[in-house]
Amino acid sequence: MNPSEESRDRLSLTAARILVCVVLTVAFAIGIPGNSFVVWTICRRMKQQPSTVVLILHLAIADLLVLATMPIWIYSFAHSWVFNVVTCKALVFVVYCSMYASIFLITALSIERFTAVFYPFAVRWWKKKAVTFLVVSGIWFLSIAFGATIIPFQETDETDIGLQCAARRYDSNAQEVACLLIETTMGFLIPFTVIIICYVSISRRIGRMVCPSKRRSTKLIASVVAAFGLCWLPHHIFNLMSVASVLMEDSHPEMSGSLDKTVAVGVYIAGSITFVSSCINPLLYAFAARNFRSSVRFVKLSRLFEQMGPLAKLESVKEAPSPNGKEETLTTMEMI
């Protein structure tokens, strides 16, 4: 590498480090009070906590777990990693555990919404506290199990910006490819495929419903899904780029090297964007709750969550006229 290329790479890393610190600081400043407010509202202001609200509660808890580690990451990127490798492994585990928990919780919300639209009487099964407890417990168990897979490979490493907790060491190329593909497949592709199927089906059905409140709550969950997807997509793209680099290491060494350089810089920016997903949900809730008539914010938020939860009472929702000119009636749950 000639001096000009080395200087350019160092400048790119410096710019990436500054951007990462700014993004993480903003995410921490917004996310901690925002998610704490969501948790407080649900736990203290809501007597009834339906399954939808319980899932939102745990989504906020997962975000708070990540945000609690933020000051350490900010200091690390601004200066260098000052802790041992055990701390590095533990903090990365928390981040990945939260990632899996968030996507699994969002998938559960999407499936619940799909069930409410197409099988409204089956939602009564979701209302049982024992069922909700089992679903949430299962989600956290899977999240911990998948998050723990990163622990053996995460290490600290000396980089151009100092010692960082950003390296992974694998025993072989095959092991690296397998781990990265499992992470992207289980933590993104499969859950989002399920989510997309749910929402494509829901959009076709709910578009015929004359019920603004139901559309609003469904759009809110859809916006949570979209925000998470946009925040984590760059991370998984760089994962796939790393896989491509490993596979082309022998056949196309120059291309593999170029991909490695791109990943080396982009992984920091993509990593910082993933933290944005931990602060954006409270903003979405606040935006969705703005139409409720109240001067007290927690009242607006609690009413929003109450509206999203399934009620015991079934109602008949009129659909828009069908092509043959007849008006159909759809029986559905209040939660849609």
Side-chain angles (χ1 to χ4, degrees):
M1 180 183 295
N2 59 53
S4 61
E5 289 181 348
E6 185 175 353
S7 177
R8 188 164 55 250
D9 289 344
R10 184 178 291 274
L11 183 62
S12 298
L13 283 172
T14 301
R17 180 169 64 176
I18 294 173
L19 179 60
V20 166
C21 291
V22 171
V23 171
L24 294 185
T25 301
V26 173
F28 180 80
I30 296 174
I32 287 291
N35 283 290
S36 298
F37 185 61
V38 170
V39 172
W40 181 84
T41 300
I42 293 174
C43 293
R44 299 297 299 272
R45 302 298 306 182
M46 297 187 66
K47 295 180 180 179
Q48 300 294 329
Q49 295 180 6
S51 55
T52 303
V53 175
V54 172
L55 293 174
I56 290 174
L57 171 63
H58 282 267
L59 187 59
I61 292 172
D63 290 337
L64 283 173
L65 288 175
V66 173
L67 293 167
T69 70
M70 202 77 77
I72 296 177
W73 296 117
I74 294 172
Y75 183 87
S76 174
F77 287 124
H79 301 282
S80 65
W81 185 258
V82 295
F83 302 98
N84 57 28
V85 69
V86 175
T87 306
C88 171
K89 290 176 181 288
L91 293 182
V92 172
F93 164 73
V94 170
V95 173
Y96 272 82
C97 180
S98 173
M99 176 197 75
Y100 284 111
S102 296
I103 187 60
F104 294 157
L105 287 165
I106 291 172
T107 304
L109 282 167
S110 303
I111 294 173
E112 183 188 46
R113 206 121 302 238
F114 174 86
T115 304
V117 173
F118 288 92
Y119 308 99
F121 289 96
V123 176
R124 291 175 176 174
W125 182 79
W126 278 93
K127 288 179 60 182
K128 298 178 180 179
K129 291 185 178 180
V131 174
T132 303
F133 175 79
L134 287 175
V135 170
V136 172
S137 298
I139 286 173
W140 280 108
F141 175 80
L142 289 175
S143 302
I144 292 171
F146 282 115
T149 60
I150 197 67
I151 294 177
F153 311 110
Q154 190 68 35
E155 300 288 344
T156 56
D157 189 32
E158 190 67 39
T159 68
D160 291 337
I161 59 174
L163 185 67
Q164 294 294 326
C165 174
R168 296 187 194 177
R169 292 191 176 89
Y170 300 96
D171 295 332
S172 65
N173 287 345
Q175 187 182 65
E176 181 176 359
V177 170
C179 290
L180 291 175
L181 288 179
I182 289 173
E183 177 185 321
T184 297
T185 301
M186 299 304 300
F188 194 82
L189 294 179
I190 291 178
F192 260 86
T193 300
V194 174
I195 291 169
I196 289 171
I197 291 173
C198 288
Y199 274 98
V200 168
S201 303
I202 290 171
S203 63
R204 291 177 179 176
R205 187 71 171 269
I206 205 170
R208 304 198 304 271
M209 295 180 184
V210 186
C211 189
S213 64
K214 292 173 173 53
R215 291 182 181 179
R216 182 166 59 244
S217 59
T218 297
K219 287 180 179 179
L220 174 58
I221 300 300
S223 66
V224 172
V225 171
F228 183 89
L230 291 174
C231 289
W232 278 94
L233 181 60
H235 170 79
H236 292 290
I237 288 176
F238 282 111
N239 267 2
L240 295 178
M241 289 175 65
S242 296
V243 170
S245 174
V246 172
L247 295 177
M248 292 190 298
E249 199 172 63
D250 296 328
S251 58
H252 299 84
E254 292 184 1
M255 180 66 73
S256 176
S258 297
L259 286 175
D260 282 338
K261 290 180 182 179
T262 303
V263 171
V265 175
V267 70
Y268 291 105
I269 299 175
S272 67
I273 294 174
T274 62
F275 285 103
V276 174
S277 67
S278 297
C279 75
I280 200 168
N281 288 343
L283 299 179
L284 296 176
Y285 302 148
F287 183 77
R290 73 192 187 284
N291 293 326
F292 289 97
R293 295 181 180 178
S294 175
S295 59
V296 184
R297 292 189 180 276
F298 67 74
V299 172
K300 288 186 177 183
L301 197 60
S302 61
R303 287 182 180 176
L304 172 68
F305 291 149
E306 286 170 359
Q307 185 188 83
M308 295 174 65
L311 301 179
K313 182 180 178 180
L314 289 171
E315 67 172 3
S316 294
V317 180
K318 289 185 177 181
E319 294 186 348
S322 60
N324 59 14
K326 295 181 179 180
E327 195 176 64
E328 299 174 354
T329 300
L330 174 68
T331 302
T332 186
M333 294 297 292
E334 180 69 26
M335 69 161 293
I336 301 172

